Amino acid sequence: MEDRIYAWIIILTHLPGFLIRVIGYFLSRDLLSQILAVALEMNLETYVQILASLAPNLSRDLRDQALEVFRSKKDIKIIKYLASYLEPHQLDRVLAISKEINDPTICAEVIDVLFKHSKIANNRRLFYKSLVIILSIQNEPASAKALAALAPYLTKELASLVLAEISEIPDEDSRSIALSALISHYPRDNLSIDLLVQALDIAFKIKKADACIKALDDLIPYLPQDLRDQGLAKIVERLIEPGDKTVGLDRYIKGLKYIKKIHNKTLRADTLINLARYLPMEEMGAEALAAEALAIAQEIQDTPSFAKALAILSARLPSNLLPKALVLARKIENKDARAQALAALASRLAKLPRRDLYPLWDETLRHLARRTCDDLITDLKALEPIIRALGGEEAIAETFRAIRDVARWWP
């Protein structure tokens, strides 16, 4: 009898799978049971190979026996090959066994397999049971994998509840990974504004910078433009945190790239202001970084925050970029805003050698003189450090006397 069983095992391990399934319909329940039992005695690999082909032919009790093999051997392939043929009570048993095994990786893999290969998503009770198990998994990659498997089947209401549970995960790296897994695998058409706002709020509240940035980076592609802009601005904020001595040049480079993606120009300007305060000046590559920041500033000239951005940026610019910044500053139409930018630049420009400073002064004065007398007086007050550098206190006094003399005919 045993020789006969071994003969069947040899046959079943060498025939194509489809042919084994055909043969399986003609094998008795007792013969199938003996074949599987002997195969298991030989080795687990042989057992799983035969199970993969005979799974459609197994009776309920043989499937139950296979689940016990899974309990003892913990081989996820057993569930993979059985999943399509398991009845609800057997699916329930699989969940119970996976929880008993107390291995988060196996537990997550079981749920992943069940949602891919069985009808567990159609059983409300088993669906909720799976969800409870997922939320109890204390392992980042495992919980993310399980959430990814379950996410496509969540209603909007359930997705919101899951997000609320994710927000309570103590470990911030785990919270970030779980949030990304849920949103990236949830049906895009079902991602309502309410869900996205809830997800964004969870990401914003993550205190650990890298975890927050990772969550936001993964969320960005799914957000509408206004929320995307908020997410991008927050990423820049977390990339460049005051007092963080570990911030390297690469973070500023990334920050500028994110700023360029912000659609709203006012928000882009405000975000640039926040970054410009901390731009490095001495490191290798700092000059190229400053040039990039100035180029971004040039694109937001029509915003109320432009003058402030230029003023703050001027303190971080290398000397060779100051003339370009001066050209941008004198084009600002609003008198007070222009004066703010000119004043910030003047203190830096005044330190240039006279041979470099005078041509800039001459060109700037010609440009500013095209405006009203009142505008020119305001501009010259802002540029006072340059006048002092070129001619001292006497030059300042003489300049303003000259302007008063011509004020009678210059509006």
Side-chain angles (χ1 to χ4, degrees):
M1 179 67 177
E2 192 169 306
D3 290 342
R4 180 186 172 211
I5 300 301
Y6 280 117
W8 271 113
I9 290 174
I10 293 171
I11 291 170
L12 294 175
T13 53
H14 288 81
L15 288 177
F18 75 91
L19 193 54
I20 295 174
R21 283 189 286 274
V22 173
I23 293 173
Y25 284 109
F26 300 99
L27 300 179
S28 68
R29 180 260 174 216
D30 288 342
L31 183 55
L32 287 172
S33 177
Q34 291 176 58
I35 290 171
L36 287 170
V38 173
L40 184 60
E41 288 177 5
M42 293 173 65
N43 57 69
L44 183 60
E45 184 179 352
T46 301
Y47 173 84
V48 171
Q49 184 182 352
I50 293 176
L51 181 70
S53 298
L54 291 180
N57 311 111
L58 299 183
S59 60
R60 178 185 296 173
D61 65 316
L62 290 181
R63 292 196 297 270
D64 286 338
Q65 289 177 24
L67 293 184
E68 288 305 309
V69 174
F70 167 66
R71 184 199 296 274
S72 62
K73 301 297 183 181
K74 303 177 180 60
D75 191 325
I76 192 66
K77 291 192 291 295
I78 295 172
I79 303 302
K80 179 180 178 181
Y81 297 132
L82 284 177
S84 299
Y85 312 103
L86 295 177
E87 299 172 29
H89 76 279
Q90 291 173 320
L91 291 171
D92 195 2
R93 190 174 173 194
V94 171
L95 291 175
I97 291 172
S98 66
K99 196 171 181 183
E100 287 172 20
I101 291 174
N102 197 30
D103 183 322
T105 302
I106 291 177
C107 193
E109 286 179 349
V110 165
I111 291 174
D112 181 52
V113 165
L114 291 183
F115 274 87
K116 286 179 179 175
H117 300 285
S118 78
K119 295 181 180 179
I120 194 170
N122 298 331
N123 186 303
R124 196 173 187 84
R125 184 180 65 82
L126 294 178
F127 183 89
Y128 284 129
K129 188 170 184 177
S130 301
L131 182 56
V132 170
I133 292 173
I134 289 171
L135 294 174
S136 69
I137 295 175
Q138 301 296 315
N139 178 285
E140 298 167 19
S143 61
K145 184 174 184 176
L147 268 175
L150 181 138
Y153 306 98
L154 292 171
T155 62
K156 292 178 183 178
E157 292 75 17
L158 274 178
S160 180
L161 288 174
V162 173
L163 283 172
E165 291 293 332
I166 288 173
S167 71
E168 298 298 323
I169 296 175
D171 182 77
E172 293 193 319
D173 286 313
S174 300
R175 195 186 316 161
S176 173
I177 291 171
L179 180 62
S180 299
L182 178 63
I183 296 300
S184 61
H185 289 86
Y186 191 71
R188 197 156 189 162
D189 291 343
N190 293 344
L191 279 172
S192 65
I193 293 296
D194 288 344
L195 283 178
L196 291 171
V197 168
Q198 186 179 359
L200 196 60
D201 183 61
I202 293 170
F204 277 8
K205 290 178 179 176
I206 296 175
K207 294 179 181 178
K208 189 176 180 180
D210 288 343
C212 176
I213 292 167
K214 173 68 168 62
L216 288 170
D217 227 355
D218 291 341
L219 276 176
I220 293 296
Y222 304 94
L223 299 174
Q225 191 64 64
D226 58 335
L227 293 181
R228 185 178 303 172
D229 283 353
Q230 292 178 38
L232 289 166
K234 177 61 77 170
I235 288 176
V236 176
E237 178 187 321
R238 300 309 303 273
L239 275 170
I240 316 296
E241 294 192 316
D244 185 354
K245 296 180 180 180
T246 65
V247 176
L249 206 64
D250 61 318
R251 287 217 167 196
Y252 289 96
I253 293 170
K254 289 178 183 177
L256 290 175
K257 286 181 179 178
Y258 283 116
I259 289 173
K260 290 170 74 173
K261 294 178 183 179
I262 297 175
H263 184 263
N264 183 290
K265 285 189 174 183
T266 300
L267 183 57
R268 195 190 315 165
D270 291 341
T271 309
L272 179 62
I273 288 170
N274 293 333
L275 180 141
R277 298 180 195 276
Y278 309 105
L279 273 178
M281 298 179 67
E282 305 298 331
E283 296 180 40
M284 185 178 296
E287 184 174 326
L289 194 68
E292 180 68 17
L294 189 59
I296 294 173
Q298 194 168 356
E299 296 171 359
I300 54 171
Q301 292 181 68
D302 55 347
T303 67
S305 301
F306 170 65
K308 184 178 180 181
L310 192 58
I312 292 173
L313 190 56
S314 66
R316 318 299 296 178
L317 293 176
S319 298
N320 65 316
L321 289 177
L322 292 175
K324 184 176 181 180
L326 180 60
V327 171
L328 293 175
R330 68 194 189 201
K331 288 180 181 179
I332 299 172
E333 291 299 325
N334 181 279
K335 180 176 68 174
D336 294 332
R338 184 173 62 252
Q340 179 187 17
L342 288 173
L345 280 164
S347 59
R348 294 286 316 281
L349 288 165
K351 297 175 183 177
L352 294 176
R354 285 192 179 188
R355 65 178 181 277
D356 297 328
L357 181 56
Y358 187 80
L360 293 175
W361 166 250
D362 184 55
E363 183 185 355
T364 298
L365 190 59
R366 291 175 186 275
H367 187 91
L368 298 179
R370 297 170 189 166
R371 292 192 170 91
T372 66
C373 180
D374 184 52
D375 282 347
L376 180 60
I377 291 174
T378 301
D379 293 338
L380 290 177
K381 286 179 179 178
L383 295 170
E384 192 174 301
I386 295 178
I387 303 173
R388 182 181 290 107
L390 290 172
E393 296 295 337
E394 185 178 340
I396 296 173
E398 185 60 36
T399 299
F400 285 100
R401 278 197 298 269
I403 293 173
R404 282 199 297 271
D405 288 343
V406 299
R408 295 188 302 273
W409 51 269
W410 187 8

